[in-house]
Amino acid sequence: MLSHLQDPIVAIATAAGRGAVGMVRVSGPDLKPLAQRLIGRVPTARHAHYGPFLDAAGQPLDQGLALYFPAPHSYTGEDVLELQAHGGPVLMQLLLARCLEVAAEPLDADRPGGPPCCPGLRLARPGEFTERAFLNDKLDLAQAEAVADLIDASTEAAARSAARSLGGALSRPVTALHDGLVELRMLVEATLDFPEEEIDFLQQADARGRLDRLADRLATLLDAAHQGALLREGLTVVIAGQPNAGKSSLLNALAGAELAIVTAIPGTTRDKVSQTIQIQGVPVHVVDTAGLRADHEASDEVERIGIGRSWQAIADADAVLFLHDLTRLGEPDHVAADAAIGQRLPAGARRVHVYNKADAVDAAVLAARPQEAEPSVVLSARTQAGLDELRRTLLEIAGWHAVPDGVFIARERHLQALRVAQQHLQQARALAALDDGALDLLAEELRLSHDALGAITGHYTPDDLLGDIFSRFCIGK
């Protein structure tokens, strides 16, 4: 373990600002002397002690609760002391400073030059408490990330899914796959070590069957992880189209609020307007953009800049709602401009053709609209008819569906690791199908798949990745 992770640490563990209750948390070896100096008594493990928190003169800074959790039965696996006081920011800073002050005081008051009460106590880095929980085997890496995801959850579904991940809903199937690959690797490498036995490994050990079963389980897990990533990251959707097609009206209808200004004047929207909505618990980040037209048709420089930003938003989107104005379908200039926009949309973009203003046209116009190979929806942003179909379509193109056992939260790095593991497992299956076995190559593919799975739970995670993950946590967690 790195030396800086052996230092005792302290931080304010509650959110910044005023609150009814605030907490200062300390973690490290042997915190009883520190606790005794702060609360005037030796704390009993896992009991709440109500009383004063004392300053250097023995006067109370505040009255509150102190809880002491001795190692290894604590969140971090070390001794943990929690001081719960009134949640004023000044008081929290006073308690934090008092902890650091007491730590530097002599352990024995009669020996001024003796060892300090809590040597090396320092302010915690972001995520350091959870990092220590991971390093002390209280949580694996996927569970540690779920702690941050639970705090950051933007929807009820995301919060419940993060709680499932914290409980091991992702870690358990990954570990089971991990263990299955270990067994298979042992058999393959044992065969490599003892070729003189002339054992038909692939048949007698059912290597192909084992590989097939592992591949099926991995595919199921990857699909479930994709659903979890959608809950965490959401879907970014850009509304694009010509001026006055009803883009801002559609944003307002989806959001259920007047977020964007709507007028009959072309070019009213000059810049991006964004709002996050929920569809069956999935966060959908909807972006309204400036109306698209050729630069020479823009009324001024501001509108040209807005159009440029619209194209950038389209390039970054997960999906594009290409809005068409049903009231102008018969106008050659409008049809040509729509075609030009369609040609410029990114080739790989998932798009939905949205025919707006259905309330303003008759059935003949609706029947005459173009029949797209891509998904299309007819609606009225003004009356909101057709909005439910649009919501369902967005979930379909995102690949969202219900998971029988419930969704767990997942991150993009989990998906990448699972895809890498799947690729190497497929290579292993191809090698296992060869007549000569190619056992040395098969063993290598199994090892690479095994390592990719290990990166999810932290068995084979580089230190620089750990630093990046935990640096994104809040201080005190």
Side-chain angles (χ1 to χ4, degrees):
M1 185 180 292
L2 298 176
S3 59
H4 73 275
L5 293 173
Q6 296 174 339
D7 298 337
I9 53 174
V10 61
I12 298 171
T14 41
R18 298 172 61 220
V21 178
M23 182 172 70
V24 172
R25 175 182 288 147
V26 190
S27 179
D30 191 19
L31 298 182
K32 276 190 176 181
L34 179 74
Q36 183 177 9
R37 201 72 62 88
L38 287 166
I39 66 175
R41 71 176 85 175
V42 176
T44 302
R46 293 175 296 280
H47 281 68
H49 295 275
Y50 175 74
F53 302 132
L54 304 174
D55 64 13
Q59 298 300 310
L61 289 168
D62 190 19
Q63 300 277 341
L65 295 177
L67 294 99
Y68 171 65
F69 304 91
H73 305 295
S74 71
Y75 179 71
T76 64
E78 305 172 328
D79 279 11
V80 169
L81 176 67
E82 294 183 351
L83 306 176
Q84 300 179 12
H86 294 97
V90 172
L91 177 58
M92 287 292 100
Q93 290 296 331
L94 287 172
L95 273 178
L96 180 65
R98 180 59 183 151
C99 288
L100 293 168
E101 182 182 31
V102 169
E105 294 174 357
L107 181 61
D108 186 346
D110 297 329
R111 296 176 57 196
C117 180
C118 186
L121 182 67
R122 60 173 174 81
L123 295 176
R125 295 178 290 105
E128 193 167 2
F129 289 93
T130 304
E131 183 178 15
R132 292 185 180 207
F134 163 68
L135 293 172
N136 291 326
D137 295 324
K138 307 298 289 186
L139 302 168
D140 66 32
L141 191 56
Q143 290 173 305
E145 290 170 304
V147 172
D149 293 334
L150 186 57
I151 294 170
D152 294 337
S154 59
T155 68
E156 179 183 348
R160 292 185 180 277
S161 298
R164 291 191 188 98
S165 288
L166 182 57
L170 172 59
S171 302
R172 282 191 297 271
V174 168
T175 300
L177 284 167
H178 191 273
D179 293 344
L181 280 170
V182 168
E183 293 177 7
L184 198 52
R185 287 184 64 193
M186 289 170 58
L187 290 169
V188 172
E189 291 171 13
T191 304
L192 286 171
D193 289 339
F194 301 102
E196 67 278 1
E197 296 294 330
E198 298 182 356
I199 297 174
D200 187 353
F201 161 74
L202 295 179
Q203 291 183 1
Q204 295 192 19
D206 188 28
R208 294 189 182 95
R210 288 170 181 253
L211 276 170
D212 289 343
R213 289 189 290 274
L214 287 171
D216 289 344
R217 287 160 57 191
L218 181 54
T220 300
L221 180 58
L222 183 56
D223 177 69
H226 176 67
Q227 308 307 303
L230 271 176
L231 274 183
R232 182 180 187 273
E233 307 292 345
L235 183 72
T236 299
V237 176
V238 169
I239 306 174
Q242 296 186 57
N244 274 15
K247 297 182 297 299
S248 297
S249 296
L250 181 56
L251 172 66
N252 291 342
L254 286 169
E258 296 297 320
L259 301 175
I261 298 172
V262 178
T263 75
I265 302 171
T268 297
T269 302
R270 299 298 187 95
D271 204 352
K272 297 183 297 182
V273 180
S274 303
Q275 178 68 16
T276 297
I277 63 173
Q278 296 182 40
I279 304 178
Q280 295 184 24
V282 177
V284 179
H285 315 294
V286 185
V287 183
D288 177 26
T289 58
L292 301 175
R293 51 183 166 184
D295 284 349
H296 68 273
E297 295 177 342
S299 60
D300 54 39
E301 182 64 19
V302 174
E303 187 179 0
R304 282 191 287 273
I305 292 172
I307 292 172
R309 291 183 177 179
S310 296
W311 284 114
Q312 183 59 55
I314 290 169
D316 296 336
D318 297 315
V320 177
L321 301 183
F322 187 4
L323 214 59
H324 307 278
D325 187 343
L326 283 169
T327 65
R328 301 182 63 191
L329 280 188
E331 299 177 12
D333 289 347
H334 183 80
V335 173
D338 263 6
I341 292 171
Q343 291 175 354
R344 191 173 170 184
L345 289 175
R350 292 177 288 184
R351 69 183 81 175
V352 178
H353 293 271
V354 179
Y355 291 89
N356 189 28
K357 305 183 183 179
D359 59 309
V361 298
D362 57 26
V365 173
L366 293 177
R369 77 182 190 279
Q371 299 302 308
E372 310 287 352
E374 297 162 316
S376 66
V377 175
V378 176
L379 56 76
S380 167
R382 187 178 68 83
T383 67
Q384 301 191 10
L387 278 187
D388 286 343
E389 183 183 354
L390 177 60
R391 295 185 181 103
R392 286 193 297 271
T393 302
L394 283 174
L395 290 183
E396 287 174 6
I397 66 173
W400 174 258
H401 60 83
V403 177
D405 297 330
V407 179
F408 54 77
I409 209 76
R411 297 186 173 203
E412 182 60 32
R413 81 166 194 92
H414 301 153
L415 294 181
Q416 291 175 358
L418 289 170
R419 291 185 187 115
V420 170
Q422 186 179 54
Q423 290 168 3
H424 289 298
L425 208 55
Q426 294 298 342
Q427 290 292 331
R429 294 175 74 186
L431 290 166
L434 298 176
D435 291 336
D436 61 4
L439 293 186
D440 54 343
L441 297 177
L442 174 59
E444 178 62 9
E445 293 297 338
L446 292 175
R447 183 189 68 80
L448 292 170
S449 183
H450 181 230
D451 288 355
L453 290 174
I456 295 175
T457 53
H459 288 91
Y460 298 101
T461 306
D463 287 342
D464 56 349
L465 178 58
L466 290 180
D468 179 65
I469 289 171
F470 288 109
S471 69
R472 299 175 188 270
F473 280 55
C474 54
I475 293 175
K477 195 61 182 177

